[in-house]
């Protein structure tokens, strides 16, 4: 009886669909993802069930809406009673691994008085790594986790090499619109570390079982801080300008107006109303650099599969938890219901051993949601 295919499931955090070459972007350099889309199926209408990280990640692995699985906002925890994609696969014989950002629980010990976080005390950062007695953790046999603040195994890795994890901006630093070079070289960067740990999983995996490997990148989440050379890969002056209509501000809900006009009171209150064209272009250049770094690491993963003779028998999936406003509608970050945030890439690449008709049976224009990934 033929063994079921391996599954390599790759996600990025805050990657809008039109920021990839295969989705029509004429500026970005994403050759490895473009090649996967050419070989497989690029879904055009895949939408996040919720435009924020944690709730939508939980929807991906449960096939249920946040109102049902109960992880309804960042800072909450997915109930361990939820049946996950990983557990289903594990029950059928798969070895299940995860590296990177899962975000099934809070990253910080939030202030009890509800005040906004600006620059959190590092001692309040929560390590995402589960204890040994927690396995199988949400259906994972083994994980190597890192979140936006980089505490946990990756923070330990940096400390062992003489770096201070708090020298780099993170998702609760101020301002979140910052565009800077990462203080960590590419070889020790978080994106590289996530890929390295995934390759470790491939090295240690027993040949007599299929595997499910979720590789979950923290980038291109804000702040916009890729390592060299990706911080200068794109010329800001050559970046496209965002799309907006000045009149739409008046019709916004109060939450969008607050996001647009706020200059203080939280780490995302950065005075978007004052941003000029060159600010948006600079942010876009750094955002694109982060994406190209991820694409290069996806190339490393595909080469690792090829060297191990596993590429032809592996289902490859790429998507994101949600998109990024990136200046469209004169907004930044996430949390809106505009397509730039809710529409995400979804690339499905069948194993080469699968007849070529399999890819053509898919319907790339089908309206899909992240709750459809599990089934």
């Amino acid at each position: 009886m033929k063994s079921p295919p391996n599954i390599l499931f790759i996600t990025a955090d805050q990657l809008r669909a039109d920021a990839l070459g295969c989705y029509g972007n004429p500026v970005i350099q994403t050759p490895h993802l473009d090649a996967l889309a050419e070989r497989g199926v690029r879904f055009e209408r895949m939408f996040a069930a919720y435009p924020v990280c944690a709730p939508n990640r939980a929807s991906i692995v449960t096939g249920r809406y946040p109102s049902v699985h109960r992880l309804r906002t960042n800072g909450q925890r997915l109930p361990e009673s939820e049946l996950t994609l990983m557990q289903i696969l594990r029950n059928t014989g798969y070895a299940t691994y995860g590296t990177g950002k899962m975000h099934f629980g809070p990253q910080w010990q939030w202030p009890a008085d509800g005040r906004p976080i600006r620059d959190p005390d590092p001692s309040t950062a929560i390590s995402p790594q589960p204890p040994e007695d927690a396995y199988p953790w949400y259906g994972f046999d083994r994980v190597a986790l890192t979140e936006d603040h980089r505490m946990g195994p990756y923070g330990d890795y940096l400390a062992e090499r003489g770096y201070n994890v708090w020298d780099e901006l993170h998702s609760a630093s101020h301002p979140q619109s910052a565009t800077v070079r990462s203080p960590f070289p590419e070889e020790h960067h978080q994106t590289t570390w996530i890929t390295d740990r995934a390759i470790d999983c491939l090295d240690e995996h027993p040949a007599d079982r299929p595997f499910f490997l979720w590789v979950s990148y923290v980038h291109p989440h804000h702040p916009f801080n890729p390592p060299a050379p990706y911080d200068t890969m794109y010329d800001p002056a050559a970046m496209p300008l965002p799309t907006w209509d000045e009149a739409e501000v008046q019709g916004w809900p109060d939450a969008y107006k607050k996001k647009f006009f706020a200059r203080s009171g939280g780490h995302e209150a950065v005075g978007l109303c004052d941003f000029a064209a060159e600010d948006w272009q600079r942010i876009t250049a750094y955002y694109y650099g982060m994406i190209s770094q991820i694409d290069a690491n996806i190339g490393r993963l595909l080469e690792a599969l090829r060297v191990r003779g596993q590429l032809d028998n592996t289902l490859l999936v790429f998507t994101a938890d949600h998109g990024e406003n990136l200046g469209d509608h004169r907004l930044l970050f996430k949390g809106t219901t505009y397509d730039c945030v809710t529409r995400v890439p979804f690339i499905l690449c069948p194993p080469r051993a699968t007849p070529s008709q399999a890819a053509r049976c898919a319907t790339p224009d089908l309206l899909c949601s992240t709750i459809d990934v599990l089934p």
Side-chain angles (χ1 to χ4, degrees):
M1 184 175 180
K2 185 178 178 181
S3 174
N6 305 310
I7 303 170
L8 176 59
F9 184 62
I10 307 171
T11 56
D13 192 323
Q14 209 146 311
L15 174 59
R16 50 191 281 163
D18 63 3
L20 298 177
C22 56
Y23 278 90
N25 190 304
V27 177
I28 194 82
Q29 297 178 39
T30 51
H32 297 101
L33 284 168
D34 296 350
L36 285 184
E38 179 67 24
R39 196 184 113 199
V41 183
R42 181 190 69 243
F43 285 79
E44 295 289 350
R45 299 201 296 161
M46 169 65 81
F47 289 86
Y50 197 84
V52 175
C53 310
N56 196 53
R57 289 167 179 270
S59 289
I60 289 173
V61 299
T62 64
R64 286 145 63 86
Y65 288 112
S67 57
V68 182
H69 62 57
R70 290 161 289 169
L71 203 174
R72 295 183 295 272
T73 185
N74 288 349
Q76 296 181 345
R77 187 171 299 280
L78 179 65
E80 294 185 11
S81 58
E82 285 292 312
L83 180 63
T84 67
L85 170 64
M86 294 76 71
Q87 187 61 58
I88 293 169
L89 290 170
R90 189 172 184 272
N91 290 347
T92 63
Y94 276 78
T96 53
Y97 311 114
T99 67
K101 179 179 180 177
M102 298 302 153
H103 212 12
F104 299 147
Q107 297 187 43
W108 302 94
Q109 299 172 27
W110 299 93
D113 59 8
R115 68 182 185 277
I117 283 187
R118 187 181 179 93
D119 287 303
D121 178 349
S123 68
T124 65
I126 300 172
S127 171
Q129 189 68 15
E132 286 297 316
D133 61 3
Y135 292 107
W137 183 75
Y138 289 109
F140 282 114
D141 289 318
R142 186 63 50 183
V143 293
L145 301 186
T146 180
E147 300 273 357
D148 304 61
H149 53 46
R150 297 172 302 281
M151 292 300 288
Y154 175 57
D156 297 339
Y157 168 94
L158 288 174
E160 290 167 1
R161 285 154 182 80
Y163 296 102
N164 182 353
V165 67
W166 299 109
D167 284 345
E168 184 170 42
L169 298 178
H170 51 76
S171 66
S173 302
H174 187 83
Q176 282 295 285
S177 56
T179 50
V180 296
R181 173 186 293 180
S182 171
F184 310 134
E186 182 182 3
E187 65 179 307
H188 298 311
H189 190 266
Q190 191 175 38
T191 296
T192 307
W193 184 88
I194 292 169
T195 306
D196 288 345
R197 302 293 75 76
I199 293 173
D200 289 344
C201 290
L202 296 177
D203 286 339
E204 298 165 6
H205 175 69
D208 60 346
R209 296 177 66 190
F211 65 77
F212 170 83
L213 172 57
W214 185 354
V215 184
S216 181
Y217 293 108
V218 174
H219 276 178
H221 192 290
H222 54 275
F224 308 96
N225 53 351
Y230 297 98
D231 62 319
T232 58
M233 186 172 182
Y234 296 95
D235 177 9
M239 294 298 101
L241 286 170
T243 301
W244 65 65
D245 178 356
E246 293 290 348
E248 69 180 315
V249 175
Q250 301 306 317
W252 274 346
D254 289 343
Y256 289 19
K257 292 179 180 177
K258 182 178 180 180
K259 182 187 288 283
F260 181 61
F261 289 110
R263 294 181 176 86
S264 63
H267 59 289
E268 292 186 4
V270 296
L272 296 175
C273 54
D274 297 328
F275 280 29
E278 54 266 29
D279 295 314
W280 296 119
Q281 289 177 301
R282 185 184 66 257
I283 289 170
T284 299
Y286 278 76
Y287 180 74
Y288 282 6
M290 297 159 82
I291 295 167
S292 287
Q293 185 193 9
I294 289 172
D295 184 82
N297 276 269
I298 289 172
R300 293 181 59 213
L301 288 171
L302 298 178
E303 177 62 13
L305 286 173
R306 187 194 66 78
V307 168
R308 289 157 182 77
Q310 298 283 4
L311 185 58
D312 289 352
N313 190 41
T314 300
L315 170 67
L316 305 169
V317 185
F318 177 81
T319 190
D321 59 354
H322 54 78
E324 158 68 62
N325 284 293
L326 202 65
D328 282 354
H329 313 284
R330 295 191 69 184
L331 295 172
L332 196 60
F333 315 129
K334 53 182 178 281
T336 71
T337 54
Y338 289 118
D339 276 14
C340 49
V341 172
T342 59
R343 180 172 172 252
V344 294
F346 191 79
I347 299 170
L348 184 67
C349 196
R352 289 187 188 273
T354 302
S356 59
Q357 296 93 321
R360 291 197 294 270
C361 288
T363 307
D365 290 328
L366 186 70
L367 181 61
C368 305
S369 168
T370 43
I371 64 166
D372 298 317
V373 174
L374 185 152

